[in-house]
Amino acid sequence: MSMSDTKLPKGEAPATAATKKPVVFVDGGSGTTGLGIAERLSGQNDVTVAGIADDKRKDPAAKRALMEQVDLVILCLPDDAAKETVKLIDSMGAAAPKVLDASTAFRVASDWTYGFAELTADQADKIRASRKVSNPGCYPTGAIALLRPLVDAGLVPSDYPITINAVSGYSGGGKTMIASFEDGTAPSFELYGLGFEHKHLPETQLYSHLTRRPIFVPSVGNYRQGMLVSVPLHLDTLPGKPDGAALQAALAKRYAGSKYVSVRPLSDATKNGKLEPEALNETNMLELYVFASDKHRQAVLVARLDNLGKGASGAAVQNMRLMLGLSDA
């Protein structure tokens, strides 16, 4: 397949040697993550998006020919299909493109780079240098953002019995869940993942630097998108018995200067004792809050994000730009 067989954005002229822009192929663009990535890419003029005819999407030879001519492939596929495509990419040798995988297939693989750019001070550089990056899950993005700085600072022990509660809009649950909410057959609210085997647990534990498996209780509400991830803490059970200000300061130090992650002042968390999940929809932003009571020596850490933004498509585009050496959008 030549580049003339690919689909360029409307009005986009083929690149010349002098004006060549990196070429990206989104494999599996019909799901919520793929559609979100496509929408975000449509607003960027420094990448070219290649496509493949619908009747050739499952043709390995056609897909290989296309991938040999692109700079980066973003996989928005089920785990097994992602693994098969990565095998195909690995077989391409020097012609292989970089790959960004949005499934859970490689998130804890030692030879892949985890795509939460704000994880540590040098994580963005690791992503820039990597040929294989795994895009984080939505729930882990919030939980890891809250926990990793506190574990690294010694404020929360790595073996602390952590509980993570979370609620997401139904768009994160796949086509069946989306359909059930939109046709009115789903309940207004439900807990799920109560078998203690949620697919996001391994990456949450690994990248939070927890040695004890956390309890994770996800839930879904009858609204399309937006997410809250919360971690309750008994302050007197932590080393040094920190107060809310110490927790907030540790988070603020870790994310100082971050474009997409903001740590809200304690005063923001005490205004009315409430937080709704949809305020960051359609953005790549992540807000972190510390709600604390000096009287009761308790705290609740909360992360707010768009499960389709920083929790999926927004993070993917952020990682894509890092991997391609492009300036931050």
Side-chain angles (χ1 to χ4, degrees), residues 125-145:
D125 288 335
K126 291 179 179 178
I127 294 168
R128 288 187 185 96
S130 182
R131 298 198 64 82
K132 293 181 176 180
V133 174
S134 57
N135 211 52
C138 50
Y139 289 125
T141 295
I144 294 165

Side-chain angles (χ1 to χ4, degrees), residues 146-209:
L146 292 167
L147 289 166
R148 178 65 177 269
L150 303 183
V151 173
D152 286 351
L155 293 171
V156 172
S158 60
D159 64 349
Y160 191 82
I162 291 290
T163 296
I164 302 165
N165 302 296
V167 60
S168 174
Y170 59 77
S171 58
K175 292 181 179 179
T176 300
M177 178 179 284
I178 292 171
S180 69
F181 274 94
E182 294 186 345
D183 68 17
T185 60
S188 295
F189 177 88
E190 64 180 355
L191 299 179
Y192 67 103
L194 295 174
F196 300 94
E197 296 293 342
H198 194 281
K199 64 181 182 179
H200 286 169
L201 268 166
E203 64 181 291
T204 299
Q205 180 178 359
L206 178 64
Y207 297 109
S208 295
H209 275 184

Side-chain angles (χ1 to χ4, degrees), residues 83 86-87 90 99-101 104-115 123 126-127 129-134 206-207 323:
K83 291 175 183 177
V86 169
K87 284 182 182 179
D90 287 343
V99 57
L100 172 63
D101 179 41
T104 63
F106 302 102
R107 288 181 186 162
V108 296
S110 60
D111 56 340
W112 284 65
T113 301
Y114 193 58
Q123 192 68 15
K126 291 179 179 178
I127 294 168
S130 182
R131 298 198 64 82
K132 293 181 176 180
V133 174
S134 57
L206 178 64
Y207 297 109
M323 295 175 74

